[in-house]
Amino acid sequence: MMKQKPIIVTGTHRSGSTWFGKMLALTPNTCYINEPFTPIYAKAIMGLDINWFHYLKEEELQRYYGNIKNGLGLSYTLVDLQRQIKNANTSRKKMAFTYRYLKYHILDHKKTPIIKDPMAVLSLEQLAKQFDLSVVCIVRHPAAFIASLKRVDWTIELEDWIGSQPLLIQKHFKSDWEAISNPQNQQKGLIWRASHFWRLVNKLILSHQSNNPTWRVYKHEELSADPLTSLEKVYADLGLDFNDQVRNEIKRYTGEENKKFAQGKQVLDLKRNSKELVKVWKGKLSPTEIAEIKHIVGDVSIHFYGDDEW
């Protein structure tokens, strides 16, 4: 099969992008690239010193073009390897980079990269244009997103992730941030912070999609309700090879024999009962919390979820 355009899978974190990316990478003609814009990997692989959910500036795209291309799995030059080994502080890391370099040139350069990275969501338009990426955004119900954050005990750092990026605010979130950054809101808790983060990210996705009609946006709940049928259609949309091996693996990861709940604060648990998973949040949030979430996100969530889905 002809190599397809690289595919980037993104959205808010805790929205099923890892599961979705792994399901796309089941076919042998793909390779899975995991979160190159996570700060620790961005520094090690691309030489980018960035925070979570960084908004790439034009000068960064130009200056680090080759480095970012490498981080996305689109190239791997000897210069890339030399830079990474020079900055590696352990022999183990140096060996890992050498293995990655050899693997790329022996196997992965012939495959379609599946780049899974929620951290890239704010820079999606720049990355897609600069590197000719096929874009897939995963949207998860805001209450399910927040219930998942509560389970793993993660917070949302609005001031660091959004407030520290004036160009991002100026271009996309000016009026929103003026309301959010009111000093009276500094002590607000997870429900308030996570609701606003969900709203900002998905408002941006809606805006980008209107300007980029070829971008694909999938709801986590619809994918999970009938994963075999949904993913077969996604494969066709993206030009990927959906075969019996892929079908059987999807069944194994999503079947009703799998557990409904993740264990404790376990961050990743890909083998789940997909149909039941979409309902879990309803038992994890109080009516008051759900009402607060809906009040904050309503003007954006209405484009994805009707009242009957609350």
Side-chain angles (χ1 to χ4, degrees):
M1 174 175 284
M2 183 182 299
K3 183 177 178 180
Q4 306 297 317
K5 288 172 60 172
I7 298 165
I8 186 164
V9 177
T10 190
T12 62
H13 55 309
R14 309 309 299 170
S15 289
S17 59
T18 300
W19 168 77
F20 184 80
K22 289 285 189 181
M23 294 303 99
L24 293 187
L26 289 172
T27 190
N29 60 319
T30 61
C31 59
Y32 183 77
I33 310 295
N34 185 58
E35 300 186 358
F37 287 96
T38 298
I40 188 171
Y41 294 122
K43 181 69 173 177
I45 294 173
M46 297 182 284
L48 279 171
D49 190 7
I50 59 176
N51 200 354
W52 300 92
F53 297 97
H54 182 68
Y55 181 73
L56 283 165
K57 306 174 187 68
E58 184 61 33
E59 56 266 30
E60 290 174 320
L61 281 169
Q62 298 305 318
R63 180 181 178 185
Y64 293 98
Y65 174 84
N67 301 24
I68 296 172
K69 190 174 182 181
N70 170 245
L72 295 173
L74 309 182
S75 71
Y76 212 143
T77 67
L78 189 57
V79 172
D80 291 322
L81 178 61
Q82 290 170 338
R83 181 190 73 251
Q84 292 160 358
I85 288 178
K86 180 181 179 180
N87 294 328
N89 55 14
T90 67
S91 298
R92 184 175 180 179
K93 289 181 180 178
K94 293 176 181 179
M95 290 176 63
F97 286 130
T98 303
Y99 170 79
R100 184 171 176 265
Y101 174 82
L102 293 172
K103 181 174 179 287
Y104 175 84
H105 285 282
I106 295 170
L107 296 173
D108 291 347
H109 73 284
K110 301 176 182 178
K111 299 180 177 181
T112 299
I114 306 294
I115 308 152
K116 188 279 295 188
D117 199 347
M119 265 58 70
V121 68
L122 300 180
S123 299
L124 197 51
E125 194 166 48
Q126 304 97 294
L127 290 169
K129 181 179 179 180
Q130 187 75 61
F131 298 102
D132 194 23
L133 307 178
S134 290
V135 173
V136 177
C137 298
I138 305 298
V139 176
R140 190 179 188 184
H141 195 290
F145 162 67
I146 293 170
S148 182
L149 287 174
K150 288 185 69 175
R151 182 182 67 78
V152 296
D153 197 22
W154 285 5
T155 187
I156 296 288
E157 302 294 345
L158 278 175
E159 292 80 7
D160 288 343
W161 300 351
I162 306 294
S164 64
Q165 304 195 80
L167 182 61
L168 169 67
I169 293 171
Q170 180 64 34
K171 292 193 72 172
H172 298 293
F173 300 141
K174 187 174 181 181
S175 60
D176 302 294
W177 190 251
E178 287 175 356
I180 292 170
S181 61
N182 187 314
Q184 295 180 346
N185 295 326
Q186 290 182 0
Q187 302 305 315
K188 298 282 189 177
L190 175 65
I191 300 294
W192 186 89
R193 290 172 171 271
S195 297
H196 279 287
F197 185 74
W198 187 97
R199 180 182 174 277
L200 291 175
V201 169
N202 288 287
K203 179 182 178 182
L204 185 60
I205 288 173
L206 282 171
S207 174
H208 285 337
Q209 188 188 27
S210 68
N211 297 323
N212 301 275
T214 61
W215 286 19
R216 297 166 176 87
V217 178
Y218 300 114
K219 288 168 58 176
H220 178 266
E221 294 76 17
E222 292 178 351
L223 294 168
S224 298
D226 188 357
L228 267 179
T229 302
S230 298
L231 287 169
E232 185 170 8
K233 183 178 184 303
V234 170
Y235 265 65
D237 288 345
L238 295 172
L240 299 175
D241 182 24
F242 192 91
N243 53 37
D244 288 341
Q245 179 184 346
V246 171
R247 183 178 290 104
N248 291 335
E249 281 297 286
I250 292 173
K251 287 180 180 178
R252 188 168 71 88
Y253 275 97
T254 64
E256 294 181 5
E257 70 278 4
N258 294 329
K259 57 182 175 292
K260 176 179 176 181
F261 298 104
Q263 300 301 309
K265 295 181 181 181
Q266 186 175 349
V267 174
L268 285 179
D269 196 353
L270 299 182
K271 289 181 67 176
R272 304 279 290 279
N273 182 333
S274 292
K275 291 181 182 179
E276 293 298 318
L277 175 62
V278 299
K279 307 172 186 175
V280 167
W281 66 267
K282 295 187 177 182
K284 302 295 182 180
L285 297 170
S286 70
T288 301
E289 290 174 325
I290 293 170
E292 181 181 358
I293 296 166
K294 187 177 181 183
H295 174 72
I296 293 170
V297 305
D299 65 322
V300 174
S301 65
I302 192 62
H303 295 278
F304 304 107
Y305 301 99
D307 286 340
D308 60 328
E309 294 173 276
W310 285 88

